[in-house]
Amino acid sequence: ERFGGSWEAALVAMMDQPKSRIIIHAKRRGRGHGGWSKNNPFLKERFVQIPVNIDPVSLASRILDVREQIATEWTDDLD
């Protein structure tokens, strides 16, 4: 509550969001990447597009699972 709300407010807001898909653009290979020469004019820049599906409910559930695991580990460490 110190930051203007309860700790679960962000997760509840996340779960209200629709599923979505994002595209990650990454350099696959080309000049100066993967050991290739930066000055080689014959190497073309190559990129790959990776689609990632985002399911907010699943993501929030996984975050809560990690939170629970960390809490258990901390409790065990303090005992």
Side-chain angles (χ1 to χ4, degrees):
E1 300 221 9
R2 178 175 139 193
F3 295 106
S6 60
W7 65 268
E8 73 272 2
L11 294 175
V12 171
M14 180 188 300
M15 291 189 298
D16 288 338
Q17 299 301 311
K19 292 181 181 180
S20 61
R21 183 178 207 161
I22 62 171
I23 305 290
I24 297 174
H25 300 273
K27 188 174 186 179
R28 185 169 186 189
R29 73 162 218 199
R31 292 184 298 246
H33 192 281
W36 297 94
S37 170
K38 291 180 188 175
N39 301 321
N40 187 335
F42 299 103
L43 286 176
K44 298 206 185 320
E45 300 287 347
R46 293 182 61 195
F47 294 88
V48 64
Q49 296 181 355
I50 305 166
V52 177
N53 295 320
I54 308 292
D55 180 3
V57 174
S58 174
L59 183 57
S61 174
R62 292 184 351 225
I63 289 170
L64 287 173
D65 288 343
V66 170
R67 176 187 171 270
E68 182 179 350
Q69 182 179 353
I70 291 171
T72 300
E73 290 178 16
W74 283 1
T75 302
D76 292 344
D77 289 346
L78 293 174
D79 287 340

